[in-house]
Amino acid sequence: MLAFIGNRALLAIPTLIFISFISFVIIQLPPGDYVTAYAAQLRHAGEYISPLQEELMREQFGLNDPMIVQYWRWISDIVLRGDFGYSLEWNAPVSTLIWDRLMLTLAISSASLVLTWAIAIPVGVYSASRQYSFLDHLFTVFGFLGKGIPDFLLALILMWLAFAYLNMDVGGLFSPEYQNAPWSFAKLGNLLSHLWIPLVVLATGGAAGLIRVMRANMLDELGKPYVETAYAQGLSEARVVWTYPVRVALNPFISTVGWALPALFSGDVITAVVLNLPTTGPLLLQALKMQDMYLAGSFILILSVFTVVGTLISDILLAWFDPRIRNA
Amino acid sequence: MTDQTINTTAAPAKDRKEDLYTATPAQLIWRRFTKHILAVVSLWFLVILALCALFADMVAPYAPFEVQRLRTLAPPTGIHLFHEGRFVGPFVYGLSRERDAETARVLYETDPEAVLPIRLFHQGDDYDFFGLFQSNIHLFGVDDRRQQINLLGTDDLGRDIFSRVLYSGRTSLTVGFLVVGVASLIGIFLGLIAGFFRRADGPVSRLIDAMMAFPDILLAIALVAALGPSAANVVLALGIVYAPRLARVVRASTLVIRELPYVEAARALAVPTPVILVRHVLRNVTSPLLVQATFIFAQAILAEAGLSFLGVGISPDIPTWGTMISIGRQFMSTAEWIMLFPGLAIVITVLALQLLGDGLRDLLDPRLAKDI
C-alpha cells in the first residue's frame, strides 16, 4: 500500500511541473510585461518614468533573462517562500488576496460534491433496481436536462424563482444585516439560505452524469450470479442491494473525485459571478479582464494543484477501498 | 439509408436472416442506429437546426439587428387557428401598445380585432445571402405595416427574439464545430504520439494529465484574456482546452491497435511510420473519436455560452446564445422570454448532441453492442 501511494505521488510530480509551467506561460502571454504595466499605472497617476528607467527596472527584476530562468525564479519563490508575486490592480501581494477566496471555493465545491453523491447514489440505485419504472424514466429525463443546462442559466433561473415566488434575496453570502454581525444561529441560517442555490447549481451537473454511471454499473452488477445467490440465501432486497453490488458500483465515484473538481471549480466561477459570491470567481474574472496576470495565474495554478491533489487522494482511497486495484 | 426499401420489399420473417448476411456494413450500422429512437430524433433535430442556422436570413422573419422603437419588450405570441369560433388558418393577434401613466412602462394587450394571417414565403425585408444572391422572400411573415409577428417576443430594442435565436445559432454552432476541429487536430496528434511511441508516452501523458487538471472554463477565459477577445481566439482557446480529452481517447485506442498483427505486418513491409499512423491506426480510432467529438461539440456550445455570458468571449455585438442571455438577464423580472428562449435553445441543442453521442457510442463501441 505504501509503495502504491509512493508510486502515485511520484507520478503526480511531473504533472505538477507541467501545470506550473503552463500557468507561467499564461501569465507571460499578454503583450508587455510587469514594467510596462507599472509604467502605464504611473502615467495614469500623472507620473512619468523614462524608457531608460524602465530598462533599468527590467534589469533589476530580471525580466530580460530567458523565460526558463524567470520561471525558475517565480516557482521557487512560490514553493520556498509562499510568494506568489504582486498584484498591480490591488497594489498588494497576491498571497494576501487569494487564500480566503480559495478556501471558500474549496468549501463550496466539496460541499456540492457531497451533495452530488447524496443525490446520485440513492437515485442511481433506485433507478437500477426498478429499471423502466415511472421514477426511473423521470430521473433519466432529469439526468439529461441536468447535463444540458448551463450552470449560469440554472443559477439565473433559480435566482429569479427565489426572488419572484419565495421573496428571497439570494445574491451574496449574507443579507446586509448579517454582513458584519458576530456568528450566531441566525447568521448560519442566513448563510444557508444564500448558499443553497450555488450548491444546487453545482451539484446538478455532476449528479446528472453520476446517476447515469451509477445506474449502468448497478445494472451490470445486479445481473451477476452472486446477487442471485444472496437472494437465494433469503436476504432481504435492501440487504442484498446495499451490501454487495453498491459497494462495487461505487468505484467510479471514488476514482472520479479528482476529475470532478475542475468541473466544480469552473462551475463555481460562473455561478459566483451570477450570484455575486466572494469566491475566486469574480476576482479571477476581474484580474483576467485587467490582465493582472500574477493574480490570475496564481488562482489558476492553485485550483489546478487542488485537482491533482484530489486525484491523488481519490487514487489512494480507491486502492484502500478495493484490494484488486491495490495489488494490481 | 436504402434499407427501408429492402425492408419493405423483402418478404418478412423468412428472409430476415438472409438479409442480415447480404446487407452492407453501412446498412447494418444505419439499422442499428435507427433502434435508438432518441438518437435518431436528435439527429433530425440537429440537421434541421443546422439548416435553419445556415438559411437564417430566409427562415427568420426579420434581420437580427433590426431595431423597432415602437415594439420594445413585446411578449411572445401564440399561433391561433380559430377566430371567434371560425377556422381561418394560422394567424396571430396584433398587439396594442399602451403606456402605464404611473410607472411609464409600456404595456401590450392582444388586440382581438387585429387578425394577422401568417403568409408563407412572404415578401419582407431585403437580405443578402452570404453575398451569393439577394432576395426578400422569408419563410413566413405577416402583411401589416404597423404590426409584426414576434413568435418569441422582442428585446429591449424591439429586435425579434426568434430571428436572433436563429442567427445566434449560426454563430454558436459554427464555434462549436470549429472547436471540435481544432481540438481534433491537437488531440489526434498528441494521442497518436503518446499511444504509438513508448518513449513519448510518459511525458505526453503527463502533459495531458496537467491540461485536464485545469478547470476548463477557467483555462479558456485565461487564454482568451491573454490572447485578446475575438471569435478566433475563443475557438483556439476552447480547442486547446478540449484537446486533451480527445488525446486520451486516441491514446487509449492506439495502445491497443499498436499491438495488432496488421500493424506488425505493415512494419514488416517497411511502410513508413507516418503512413502506418494515418492509414492503419488513425482510421481505426475514428469510432471512439467520433463519439467523443460529439460530446465535445456539446461542451463547446456550453462553454462558449458561458464565456459570452461573462463578457470575455465573442464581442457582445455578435448575437450568440450566450450574449443573448447576458442581455436578457437585466430584464429577467419583467421580460423573462429574452433570456429563456436562447437558454432553451442551448439546452435542447446540447441535449440532442448528448443523446446523439450516446446513440453513437452504443452503435460503435463493440463492448456495448447488443444483438441487432
Side-chain angles (χ1 to χ4, degrees), chain A residues 144 266 269 274 284 291 304, chain B residues 206 214 216-218 225 329 351:
Chain A
F144 280 120
S266 275
V269 167
V274 174
L284 173 60
Q291 301 212 329
S304 314
Chain B
R206 294 288 83 72
F214 286 101
D216 54 352
I217 302 267
L218 286 194
R329 186 187 170 188
L351 205 59

Side-chain angles (χ1 to χ4, degrees), chain B residues 201-338:
Chain B
D201 191 18
V204 177
S205 290
R206 294 288 83 72
L207 177 68
I208 294 173
D209 279 355
M211 296 285 292
M212 295 271 292
F214 286 101
D216 54 352
I217 302 267
L218 286 194
L219 186 58
I221 298 176
L223 286 172
V224 174
L227 297 169
S230 75
N233 284 341
V234 168
V235 169
L236 187 66
L238 287 176
I240 292 174
V241 168
Y242 292 119
R245 300 183 188 198
L246 282 174
R248 273 163 72 99
V249 171
V250 174
R251 173 181 171 271
S253 305
T254 309
L255 280 176
V256 177
I257 294 168
R258 180 178 73 183
E259 307 296 337
L260 293 182
Y262 60 77
V263 174
E264 207 176 331
R267 269 212 204 113
L269 289 169
V271 178
T273 312
V275 178
I276 297 182
L277 278 178
V278 174
R279 191 176 292 167
H280 302 290
V281 181
L282 184 57
R283 209 175 262 190
N284 286 296
V285 302
T286 35
S287 336
L289 198 61
L290 191 64
V291 173
Q292 198 62 24
T294 319
F295 291 133
I296 284 176
F297 201 141
Q299 286 290 317
I301 287 180
L302 282 179
E304 181 273 317
L307 291 186
S308 301
F309 175 76
L310 292 176
V312 285
I314 295 170
S315 139
D317 303 332
I318 302 173
T320 74
W321 290 329
T323 52
M324 285 184 74
I325 294 176
S326 143
I327 293 171
R329 186 187 170 188
Q330 308 156 43
F331 305 96
M332 198 164 69
S333 49
T334 51
E336 66 280 359
W337 55 86
I338 303 180

Side-chain angles (χ1 to χ4, degrees), chain A residues 11-12 14-16 18-20 22-23 26 29-31 141 144-145 147-153 156-157 159-160 163 212 259 261-263 265-267 269-270 273-275 284-285 288-289 291 293 299-301 303-305 307-308, chain B residues 38 202-219 221-223 225-228 248 299 302 305-307 309-312 322 325 329 332-334 336 339-340 342-344 346-348 350-351 354-355 358:
Chain A
L11 269 180
T15 310
L16 287 174
F18 269 122
I19 286 177
S20 63
I22 297 170
S23 302
I26 291 173
L29 261 182
V141 171
F144 280 120
L145 279 182
K147 284 194 94 168
I149 191 162
D151 286 341
F152 63 93
L153 188 66
L156 280 173
I157 291 176
M159 205 162 105
W160 171 52
F163 178 76
R212 306 295 301 162
W259 296 125
L261 287 177
F265 292 150
S266 275
V269 167
I270 294 188
V273 171
V274 174
L275 296 169
L284 173 60
L285 190 66
L288 282 168
K289 279 183 178 167
Q291 301 212 329
M293 293 316 280
F299 271 131
I300 292 176
L301 173 69
L303 287 177
S304 314
V305 170
T307 306
V308 176
Chain B
L38 280 173
V204 177
S205 290
R206 294 288 83 72
L207 177 68
I208 294 173
D209 279 355
M211 296 285 292
M212 295 271 292
F214 286 101
D216 54 352
I217 302 267
L218 286 194
L219 186 58
I221 298 176
L223 286 172
L227 297 169
R248 273 163 72 99
Q299 286 290 317
L302 282 179
L307 291 186
F309 175 76
L310 292 176
V312 285
I325 294 176
R329 186 187 170 188
M332 198 164 69
S333 49
T334 51
E336 66 280 359
M339 189 185 90
L340 282 183
L344 209 60
I346 296 177
V347 174
I348 297 176
V350 170
L351 205 59
Q354 302 261 14
L355 291 172
D358 278 352

Side-chain angles (χ1 to χ4, degrees), chain B residues 87-266:
Chain B
F87 179 80
V88 285
F91 72 96
V92 292
Y93 284 114
L95 293 177
S96 63
R97 187 172 190 273
E98 270 173 68
R99 199 176 273 279
D100 189 32
E102 272 175 47
T103 58
R105 251 184 78 186
V106 175
L107 299 174
Y108 290 98
E109 288 275 340
T110 45
D111 183 355
E113 296 305 308
V115 172
L116 307 168
I118 296 173
R119 303 256 179 265
L120 287 180
F121 302 106
H122 169 256
Q123 295 198 347
D125 305 325
D126 288 338
Y127 57 85
D128 199 11
F129 184 78
F130 288 116
L132 291 176
F133 59 87
Q134 281 197 324
S135 170
N136 63 355
I137 303 291
H138 294 263
L139 188 63
F140 64 92
V142 289
D143 296 320
D144 193 300
R145 291 213 163 270
R146 315 197 49 153
Q147 295 279 5
Q148 282 198 332
I149 175 167
N150 302 118
L151 291 180
L152 306 183
T154 61
D155 65 6
D156 55 319
L157 297 174
R159 298 176 293 193
D160 183 38
I161 298 284
F162 179 75
S163 306
R164 281 176 72 77
V165 166
L166 287 184
Y167 279 95
S168 300
R170 194 186 265 180
T171 325
S172 296
L173 290 179
T174 312
V175 168
F177 192 74
L178 292 178
V179 166
V180 170
V182 173
S184 303
L185 279 184
I186 306 174
I188 288 173
F189 181 75
L190 286 180
L192 280 182
I193 288 186
F196 201 76
F197 304 104
R198 269 165 223 265
R199 232 170 242 218
D201 191 18
V204 177
S205 290
R206 294 288 83 72
L207 177 68
I208 294 173
D209 279 355
M211 296 285 292
M212 295 271 292
F214 286 101
D216 54 352
I217 302 267
L218 286 194
L219 186 58
I221 298 176
L223 286 172
V224 174
L227 297 169
S230 75
N233 284 341
V234 168
V235 169
L236 187 66
L238 287 176
I240 292 174
V241 168
Y242 292 119
R245 300 183 188 198
L246 282 174
R248 273 163 72 99
V249 171
V250 174
R251 173 181 171 271
S253 305
T254 309
L255 280 176
V256 177
I257 294 168
R258 180 178 73 183
E259 307 296 337
L260 293 182
Y262 60 77
V263 174
E264 207 176 331

